[in-house]
Amino acid sequence: TDPYQKTDEVNMSRLENSAKNIVFSFGNTILVSILGFISRTVFIHILGTDYLGLAGLLGNVLGFLSISELGIATAIGFSLYKPLAEKDYKVVSSLMSLYRKAYSIIGTIVLISGILLFFFLDFFIPVDQQPAGTDFAYFAFLANTVVSYFLAYKTTLISSDNQAFRLVPINMAVNTAQTILQILVLVLTRNYVVYLSVQIVCSIILMALQNIYITQKYSEVDFSSKDRLPSEKTVEIKRNVSGLIIAKIGDYLVNSTDNLIITKLVSLAATGIYSNYLLIRNMINGFIATLFSGITASMGNVVAVENDEKKLEIFDTVFFCAFLIYSIEATCFMSLYNLFIGDIWIGRNYIFSAGTVAVIVLNNYLTGLRIPLITMKGAAGKYLEDTWIPFGFAIVNLVASILLAKPFGVAGVFLGTIIGSLFTADWYRPFVIYRTVFHAPVKKYFRKYMVYLLLGVGYIALTYWLNAQIYLSNAYLLFLVRGIVSVGVPALLSCALFYRTTEFGAIKTLTIRLVRGTTARLCSKKEDRNG
């Protein structure tokens, strides 16, 4: 057998699975987004912003308990790449058995900790701001969190095997049923407790169905295996987990404290208003995340088998993709956020000022530019080399956000996050990845980063100014026209500036290869069936 032909087949299979993950996830995200908007609209008109703020805040408060997970899912997921590729189901069974035992213990700890944390709920939400049903909502969120440790752990296996797209039909069916039921409950009962009850029951059903499917698909895997892991795997997991502990704490303090600070120093209503921006951001970022999560397993394979030059080439391409995608997203957010929320969706009482929106958009754009580094870090298993980053990021973020929240309100909270990222992760993590993964000087990265950052800010400002010159009486038509401008300006300028670069050519070549390879295989399967 020609080894080069075999390598091409493996690469094409890798690409096809990544493409399937992306396409299926896109479909699921579209459906969930549409249903989410319908449900959110009904929710706001019936229950108001206080309950929106409560939901977002409880998610963040209980998110603190997820720190006890200690990064085990990430460490196990990384350790599964090689044995899954080699079909070594004995090692896979040992890993998943360890995972199950660890998560059973963690689930119990989270339950006990959650009950104790309940007695401090008044600190996070002042009593005079707590809407009816707050106590029930807390325990409903806690129950959902605890159950996930006992039922959802197997999804790491199918994700590491680059087969996550197979769960999409189950997700779509349950999510559709849940949204329809929740809308009916809101309209008929106007009761938040019943609404939450439906959500929790459907969530448990979804995890149970996923669990059953994965168990059947991976019949070779013994999830209760008594075999001990090879010593090198045990050392690898312990090493990775130890590096992830601080990262988990730091990530929580960075990503989950915004709502806490806004509620404490601004108001619960402001948290509710921000949750609408967050819903739209998470929806769009969900589409983008499917692109990067779809290639994470493949990047893990690339790191394991390719030379440093090839790794760096692939990273540069992914970095350019991040710039292109997130710069377009940022221009759209800046020009369309308030138009959509205020004039099309729920009214101008639910929008922030343009200055606050600009800070939120810039923070999201900087986060997007970090995604390639985070993806490569996870794919390469580099968990110990920059353990201080999330913690340092979190300290600067918290101090700056608290100091700036009083004079600048919601904008100050996110200015604090931006300051935290610029003083920690944005300058140090590239050194780690370039030194330990690529073994190359980091100056090239910083040149690209500055170009992408300045161009992104320039795109946002230019597009916002151009859209401000457009006046139409029909909000829907205005949204369409501004949307075209918001996508077109950064896309056309990026093509004009980068069409001769290696990264642009790589994306073009990869797209052509993927389309041709997938088409050829489909045609081959069709001929086999006809033959």
Side-chain angles (χ1 to χ4, degrees), residues 327-338:
S327 64
I328 292 174
E329 180 193 57
T331 58
C332 289
F333 280 167
M334 190 63 225
S335 293
L336 303 176
Y337 249 153
N338 282 356

Side-chain angles (χ1 to χ4, degrees), residues 80 83-84 86-97 220-222 225-230:
L80 282 168
L84 281 170
E86 296 174 350
K87 300 188 184 302
D88 186 349
Y89 292 113
K90 183 178 180 181
V91 173
V92 172
S93 296
S94 298
L95 284 166
M96 292 307 297
S97 179
E220 307 94 335
V221 177
D222 180 3
S225 173
K226 304 297 182 184
D227 294 330
R228 296 180 65 86
L229 277 173

Side-chain angles (χ1 to χ4, degrees), residues 19 63 104 261 269 279 303 389 400 402 405 412 440 459 461 494 516:
S104 296
I261 297 172
L279 172 71
V303 170
I389 286 291
I402 291 171
Y459 291 168
S494 293
R516 286 179 178 173

Side-chain angles (χ1 to χ4, degrees), residues 97-113:
S97 179
L98 173 64
Y99 195 9
R100 178 184 59 81
K101 293 173 185 175
Y103 260 35
S104 296
I105 295 171
I106 292 169
T108 303
I109 293 172
V110 168
L111 176 60
I112 296 170
S113 302

Side-chain angles (χ1 to χ4, degrees), residues 382-425:
K382 300 298 178 181
Y383 303 118
L384 280 174
E385 288 76 4
D386 64 346
T387 50
W388 74 270
I389 286 291
F391 199 63
F393 188 170
I395 292 174
V396 178
N397 171 39
L398 277 173
V399 172
S401 294
I402 291 171
L403 290 176
L404 295 171
K406 278 295 183 183
F408 299 108
V410 174
V413 176
F414 294 102
L415 278 173
T417 304
I418 292 172
I419 292 171
S421 70
L422 292 175
F423 277 86
T424 55

Side-chain angles (χ1 to χ4, degrees), residues 167-306:
L167 294 179
V168 170
I170 298 173
N171 298 342
M172 293 176 76
V174 176
N175 286 330
T176 302
Q178 175 183 321
T179 303
I180 293 172
L181 285 172
Q182 285 185 302
I183 291 173
L184 287 174
V185 161
L186 281 177
V187 173
L188 295 175
T189 69
R190 308 176 74 87
N191 189 302
Y192 183 59
V193 169
V194 181
Y195 172 90
L196 262 187
S197 300
V198 172
Q199 179 176 314
I200 301 307
V201 170
C202 288
S203 179
I204 292 173
I205 291 172
L206 174 60
M207 288 185 282
L209 291 175
Q210 290 176 334
N211 193 297
I212 293 169
Y213 177 83
I214 295 170
T215 302
Q216 293 175 344
K217 176 173 173 55
Y218 294 91
S219 56
E220 307 94 335
V221 177
D222 180 3
F223 293 95
S224 300
S225 173
K226 304 297 182 184
D227 294 330
R228 296 180 65 86
L229 277 173
S231 58
E232 64 272 14
K233 281 290 180 186
T234 303
V235 171
E236 178 186 82
I237 291 171
K238 287 181 178 179
R239 179 179 181 275
N240 290 340
V241 167
S242 64
L244 285 161
I245 293 174
I246 295 177
K248 288 288 291 185
I249 297 172
D251 285 344
Y252 170 79
L253 293 175
V254 170
N255 298 317
S256 302
T257 55
D258 290 336
N259 282 343
L260 299 178
I261 297 172
I262 293 171
T263 301
K264 194 71 179 176
L265 300 181
V266 186
S267 70
L268 185 62
T271 303
I273 293 173
Y274 172 62
S275 72
N276 295 321
Y277 289 84
L278 192 62
L279 172 71
I280 298 171
R281 191 202 75 179
N282 287 347
M283 180 191 74
I284 304 300
N285 282 355
F287 289 108
I288 300 173
T290 59
L291 175 64
F292 287 102
S293 64
I295 64 173
T296 298
S298 296
M299 285 185 72
N301 182 268
V302 166
V303 170
V305 302
E306 299 289 0

Side-chain angles (χ1 to χ4, degrees), residues 345-386:
W345 187 22
I346 50 177
R348 301 196 68 81
N349 290 331
Y350 297 91
I351 63 173
F352 290 130
S353 67
T356 299
V357 173
V359 176
I360 293 172
V361 169
L362 180 58
N363 179 55
N364 184 65
Y365 180 58
L366 291 175
T367 301
L369 291 182
R370 288 196 296 273
I371 296 297
L373 282 173
I374 294 170
T375 303
M376 182 58 73
K377 171 184 158 81
K382 300 298 178 181
Y383 303 118
L384 280 174
E385 288 76 4
D386 64 346

Side-chain angles (χ1 to χ4, degrees), residues 42-51 186 190-192 195:
V42 176
F43 188 103
I44 291 171
H45 286 297
I46 292 179
L47 296 178
T49 55
D50 282 347
Y51 280 105
L186 281 177
R190 308 176 74 87
N191 189 302
Y192 183 59
Y195 172 90

